[in-house]
Amino acid sequence: CSNEHAECRKGSDDAWIPSRLIDIHDYRSSGQVRIVSRNDIELSQFGEQPRYTTLSHVWGTHTFLTLVHSNLQNLRSGFPVSGLPKTFTQAIAVTEKIGLRYLWIDSLCIIQDSAEDWRVEAGSMDKVYLNSFCTIAASLAANPNEGLFWDRNAELSKPFAVQFMSPPRPTQFRVFLDLQFLILDHSPLYKRGWVLQESLLSPRTMHFSKLPAFECREIFACESYRTTGAKSASADLLYRTRKTIARAEEFTYSNWCGIVFDYSRCNLTKGTDKLIALCGIAKVVSSVIPGGYFAGIWAEWWLQGLLWMVDRGEELAPIRPWEEYRGISVLSRVLL
């Protein structure tokens, strides 16, 4: 993918890296990693910023190590991997295995007790994921202690034959599991609101589950089959990926409605995150939508944006009233 897929390289900025990353350079020798800032990271011999992976995971209700003001210096000096949740330690191992030195995890790269740091970093999530080399998705884990790897049977994802005894002659079809549906619609990770932009914006994602899969902007593949773009009946059916948003030259209101529909089925711990957890996607598509974006409404489609309803026939997150300001009054700017 990194060598041959031109679409997967679009939208990235080799000169940009996150404010903080986890340096895993000494992981094997000392069992420790450390938090480094953007200024600590040296350019490669070719003048490029080092590549990094990102971890997409469910926080859950468990308590685990996070970055706060009181431990910032200690984590910068180095801390043992043994004190991290299983998902984190395995993400470090995967990052090392694919030959990279740096990893970004939200809970360790954003100061959790700083409203200002959270505001700044949350506003740059589009860049974090657009410029990530690959996102490691703990798709099946409901909390960070469950890890990435699961016992699995690769035979279950293989295509199987179905024969219809219909005149004038029997017809045989090959049936493929819709892994995108199974992984993206039925995994704990993709019920989390923040994960939608992580999934759509990352150029590549490794989905770790009982049916592991790889997804980029050109293909979606699993252990049993991969799509290569070959012109065949099966390839055409499998040649699908949701990661086209970062290279969208045309973006319609129907596209936006599809994103909002997927987002509405997700859960957010904090209602005040409703708009900001979607702003990374809005930033990316704003370049092809005229008029501006205001509190979830596009000026280009402001009338359609105000005409909405809740479809109780769909599996949507529960409606909960929130007293905190969430930007609704900004709609007046659209009407003007």
Side-chain angles (χ1 to χ4, degrees):
C1 173
S2 61
N3 292 332
E4 299 177 7
H5 292 173
E7 296 294 348
C8 299
R9 295 191 293 272
K10 290 183 178 180
S12 62
D13 181 358
D14 291 337
W16 191 92
I17 55 175
S19 302
R20 302 178 192 90
L21 287 168
I22 303 168
D23 185 349
I24 68 169
H25 183 260
D26 298 326
Y27 159 62
R28 287 296 180 186
S29 59
S30 68
Q32 290 197 333
V33 296
R34 64 191 183 100
I35 304 297
V36 294
S37 68
R38 181 183 290 139
N39 296 331
D40 298 329
I41 299 174
E42 298 179 357
L43 295 175
S44 70
Q45 60 178 326
F46 303 107
E48 298 177 345
Q49 297 284 15
R51 296 182 298 185
Y52 63 92
T53 59
T54 45
L55 176 64
S56 186
H57 70 101
V58 176
W59 280 52
T61 58
H62 291 66
T63 300
F64 53 92
L65 179 66
T66 61
L67 176 65
V68 292
H69 276 115
S70 61
N71 65 12
L72 176 59
Q73 292 307 315
N74 288 337
L75 297 190
R76 284 178 58 84
S77 300
F79 56 98
V81 173
S82 59
L84 294 175
K86 186 177 180 180
T87 300
F88 292 12
T89 60
Q90 292 182 346
I92 290 171
V94 170
T95 300
E96 183 200 44
K97 191 70 174 178
I98 61 177
L100 301 189
R101 176 172 176 171
Y102 298 101
L103 167 65
W104 188 92
I105 303 177
D106 51 5
S107 56
L108 290 172
C109 294
I110 301 175
I111 303 176
Q112 299 300 310
D113 60 351
S114 170
E116 176 62 20
D117 193 67
W118 185 88
R119 183 188 65 80
V120 171
E121 297 302 318
S124 64
M125 287 298 97
D126 58 316
K127 294 181 178 179
V128 169
Y129 287 95
L130 278 172
N131 294 298
S132 167
F133 178 71
C134 183
T135 290
I136 299 167
S139 302
L140 200 57
N143 64 71
N145 295 314
E146 293 189 343
L148 299 175
F149 302 102
W150 302 82
D151 291 334
R152 66 192 192 278
N153 182 355
E155 296 294 320
L156 295 177
S157 62
K158 287 186 175 181
F160 57 91
V162 174
Q163 183 166 294
F164 286 89
M165 303 300 294
S166 58
R169 64 179 66 89
T171 303
Q172 183 168 292
F173 297 91
R174 295 181 74 202
V175 180
F176 293 82
L177 280 177
D178 189 343
L179 289 185
Q180 285 182 303
F181 175 75
L182 292 174
I183 293 174
L184 301 179
D185 286 23
H186 291 279
S187 296
L189 179 62
Y190 298 101
K191 291 180 172 62
R192 179 174 170 244
W194 279 94
V195 172
L196 181 63
Q197 64 180 9
E198 300 170 9
S199 173
L200 295 181
L201 298 181
S202 303
R204 306 169 188 88
T205 297
M206 291 185 286
H207 300 277
F208 287 86
S209 70
K210 290 187 177 182
L211 296 172
F214 172 83
E215 181 184 15
C216 67
R217 293 176 188 158
E218 294 198 12
I219 66 171
F220 189 96
C222 69
E223 291 178 300
S224 301
Y225 61 82
R226 67 175 60 189
T227 60
T228 60
K231 294 302 179 181
S232 66
S234 60
D236 287 343
L237 289 173
L238 297 171
Y239 193 79
R240 296 176 300 162
T241 175
R242 299 200 315 169
K243 292 180 176 294
T244 57
I245 186 171
R247 56 183 175 88
E249 297 177 357
E250 295 183 4
F251 194 82
T252 67
Y253 185 66
S254 177
N255 297 140
W256 178 251
C257 287
I259 290 172
V260 172
F261 178 80
D262 289 339
Y263 187 60
S264 298
R265 293 186 294 169
C266 298
N267 295 307
L268 286 167
T269 302
K270 297 181 179 179
T272 49
D273 291 350
K274 177 67 74 173
L275 292 176
I276 197 167
L278 195 64
C279 74
I281 296 174
K283 284 183 179 180
V284 170
V285 301
S286 63
S287 61
V288 294
I289 302 176
Y293 174 76
F294 305 96
I297 303 292
W298 294 97
E300 177 75 359
W301 305 309
W302 69 267
L303 183 58
Q304 297 98 313
L306 293 174
L307 296 174
W308 60 272
M309 62 177 289
V310 175
D311 186 349
R312 285 302 183 185
E314 299 292 343
E315 182 187 351
L316 302 176
I319 297 176
R320 293 174 293 173
W322 294 93
E323 296 180 358
E324 298 94 335
Y325 169 74
R326 293 200 296 187
I328 302 303
S329 64
V330 182
L331 292 177
S332 61
R333 296 179 59 185
V334 178
L335 300 178
L336 294 175

